[in-house]
Amino acid sequence: MRRRFMVCVDNRGCESSLEIRKLYEVLIDRVVEKHHQVRVIDESGEDYLYPEKFFAPVRLPHVTKEKLELMSA
C-alpha cells in the first residue's frame, strides 16, 4: 500500500489530537476527500477525519519513507 504523509499547519479546536509542524500519515480515502477532509492517524494512534486545510502535502525521499514504514511494522 502506498503511504502518504502530510504536515499539520493548523490545529484549531484539535490541539490535543494534532501538533503543528508534525508529520502525519494519511490514509487514502477518496470518499472523504470529496468533502475536503483527510483521514489522518493522529496523536491517539487511531485514524480520524480532519479538514484538509489543516494539512499541507510533503514529498519525502524514498529512504525516509522506508524508515517510517519500518517504524510502524
Side-chain angles (χ1 to χ4, degrees):
M1 173 189 250
R2 197 180 111 228
R3 299 179 78 166
R4 189 168 78 170
F5 297 89
M6 298 181 93
V7 63
C8 180
V9 295
D10 186 356
N11 67 352
R12 281 178 281 169
C14 302
E15 292 84 358
S16 63
S17 301
L18 299 172
E19 293 181 30
I20 299 286
R21 294 182 294 280
K22 183 171 180 178
L23 192 66
Y24 288 93
E25 183 175 358
V26 177
L27 303 179
I28 296 172
D29 187 332
R30 301 289 182 220
V31 174
V32 302
E33 289 172 4
K34 291 178 184 178
H35 300 282
H36 306 287
Q37 295 186 326
V38 291
R39 186 173 298 280
V40 173
I41 298 176
D42 67 10
E43 295 305 310
S44 72
E46 300 293 327
D47 63 281
Y48 289 97
L49 298 179
Y50 293 99
E52 69 181 10
K53 68 181 182 178
F54 279 15
F55 299 90
V58 293
R59 287 197 175 176
L60 299 174
H62 183 71
V63 67
T64 303
K65 283 185 180 181
E66 285 179 345
K67 288 182 180 188
L68 289 171
E69 286 177 10
L70 288 174
M71 289 175 54
S72 65

